[in-house]
Amino acid sequence: GENISSIEVEDVLYRHPAVLAAAVVAKPDPKWGETPCAFLEIKPGVEVTAQDIIAHCKQHLAGFKVPKAIVFGELPKTSTGKIQKFELRKQAEDVEKVYNIFVVNDSNQLVGVLSLKRVLFANAKTKIQDLYQSKNIIFSYFFKSLFLDKIMLH
């Protein structure tokens, strides 16, 4: 396999106008052994897709260095602000796992189920809020029957 510098890929990611913070780690891959996985914090009020990020990387990097997975969300940091890459390596292993999101109304009646890969899960809350913004709904996020979060939307 080829050696890929995470610093080189992160430098390209930071040059994208929507990126606030970036970290790249190796994600296990059955064909290649490992492939780059980018974790990104996006600037507030900015809309960007994984396809936008990948297109930006393709303009500035060799094809094999372009991240194969993009995960949006807050990056885990130490109290001094350093990105905790060891935490991201654990998360990268789960990128392809599927999360089932059970949507219930205020009477706890099931109104829908969404299945999302981890790579999309970070944006799920925002996307669901957009879909149900006019309704008073409680969202319960479950993964393999483990309760992760419960949020009341107004």
Side-chain angles (χ1 to χ4, degrees), residues 35-54:
T35 58
C37 178
F39 289 84
L40 303 175
E41 279 185 37
I42 301 304
K43 293 176 182 172
V46 178
E47 295 269 330
V48 68
T49 66
Q51 290 80 11
D52 295 334
I53 298 295
I54 290 169

Side-chain angles (χ1 to χ4, degrees), residues 12-145:
V12 168
L13 291 167
Y14 273 109
R15 285 190 258 153
H16 190 285
V19 174
L20 179 65
V24 175
V25 297
K27 177 180 95 57
D29 183 89
K31 182 177 180 180
W32 302 107
E34 292 179 331
T35 58
C37 178
F39 289 84
L40 303 175
E41 279 185 37
I42 301 304
K43 293 176 182 172
V46 178
E47 295 269 330
V48 68
T49 66
Q51 290 80 11
D52 295 334
I53 298 295
I54 290 169
H56 172 77
C57 289
K58 284 182 177 180
Q59 289 178 340
H60 302 283
L61 293 168
F64 70 93
K65 295 180 181 182
V66 174
K68 305 299 181 258
I70 308 289
V71 180
F72 297 102
E74 190 173 339
L75 302 181
K77 297 179 183 113
T78 65
S79 59
T80 59
K82 183 175 185 217
I83 296 170
Q84 295 179 315
K85 283 197 172 185
F86 70 94
E87 290 291 342
L88 295 177
R89 285 184 197 96
K90 291 181 204 173
Q91 291 181 32
E93 293 175 9
D94 294 339
V95 163
E96 297 299 320
K97 289 186 180 174
V98 174
Y99 288 75
N100 289 317
I101 302 171
F102 297 86
V103 182
V104 298
N105 62 19
D106 56 357
S107 301
N108 278 340
Q109 296 171 316
L110 184 66
V111 295
V113 179
L114 297 172
S115 294
L116 297 173
K117 286 187 177 182
R118 166 68 178 90
V119 72
L120 300 174
F121 188 69
N123 286 337
K125 191 189 315 179
T126 303
K127 298 296 183 197
I128 294 168
Q129 285 172 337
D130 291 344
L131 290 172
Y132 293 95
Q133 64 186 347
S134 62
K135 299 176 185 175
N136 186 21
I137 293 180
I138 298 173
F139 294 96
S140 298
Y141 297 80
F142 291 86
F143 176 61
K144 292 188 177 179
S145 302

